Amino acid sequence: MKEKIAVYPGTFDPITKGHIDIIQRAVRIFPRLIVAVACNPGKAPLFSVEERVEMILQSLEPLNLGHLEVESFSSLLVEYARKKGANVIIRGLRAVSDFEYEFQMALINRKLDHSVETLFMMPSEPYTYLSSRIVKEIAYYGGNVECLVTPPVAKRLREKFGMGPKTPPRP
Ligand code: ADP
């Protein structure tokens, strides 16, 4: 049987404990997992794609998850998945509010490439309210994000907003 390769794509601006929860669940199922950071200039991310990749690597390193790769991509997701030989796309589902967008994306991706299947995973309950946007908002106002992100990410956020907010966080 062909090796099952899964891609977990996202903006990861920045990676949160919710993302990590999904990654930990996915590595238990798939022999190879690629965390794929979308450049996503349209979303005007707070962190550069290089910073986002670095924060993921720093956050995951202590967890020793093994068969896991982290890289950025800037093409169509299904094209990227095809190039990597991946037949599964992992997405996280937090609440009903995620559903409409995720449903639309999954069906569009299926239309673009029938061989790639989207699989949804739910995080542990405490992370169902957590998003990168919320984390940035709390950090912007000087709040404590230590329980929502890993120490390297908290440090980066302090560096970004530490001298007092200059630019408002983007959605
Ligand atoms: P995107 O711009 O692709 O939505 P995100 O980084 O916001 O990028 O999210 C990537 C994936 O991770 C999405 O499927 C999203 O639903 C999921 N996700 C984000 N935050 C959480 C969380 N707290 N728990 C579970 N899944 C999450």
Side-chain angles (χ1 to χ4, degrees), residues 8-12 18-19 22 40 43 91-92 94 102 123 127 130:
Y8 178 34
T11 311
F12 302 104
H19 292 123
I22 298 295
N40 248 345
K43 275 204 165 178
R91 294 289 287 178
R94 285 160 292 188
E102 295 293 343
Y127 301 135
L130 180 53

Side-chain angles (χ1 to χ4, degrees), residues 54-129:
E54 208 175 301
M55 283 186 282
I56 296 173
L57 289 170
Q58 290 171 339
S59 299
L60 298 181
E61 198 205 75
L63 302 177
N64 273 323
L65 295 178
H67 52 278
L68 186 121
E69 292 155 51
V70 183
E71 64 176 31
S72 61
F73 74 103
S74 53
S75 60
L76 212 53
L77 175 58
V78 287
E79 263 169 33
Y80 172 76
R82 202 180 301 140
K83 203 178 80 192
K84 303 305 285 187
N87 32 23
V88 176
I89 292 170
I90 304 280
R91 294 289 287 178
L93 261 193
R94 285 160 292 188
V96 182
S97 51
D98 278 339
F99 182 76
E100 203 172 325
Y101 174 73
E102 295 293 343
F103 184 68
Q104 189 182 23
M105 290 311 296
L107 291 185
I108 285 177
N109 284 333
R110 180 182 288 167
K111 211 170 186 60
L112 293 172
D113 189 336
H114 266 272
S115 66
V116 180
E117 204 62 62
T118 303
L119 217 142
F120 294 100
M121 303 188 88
M122 276 162 282
S124 297
E125 202 206 302
Y127 301 135
T128 50
Y129 59 86

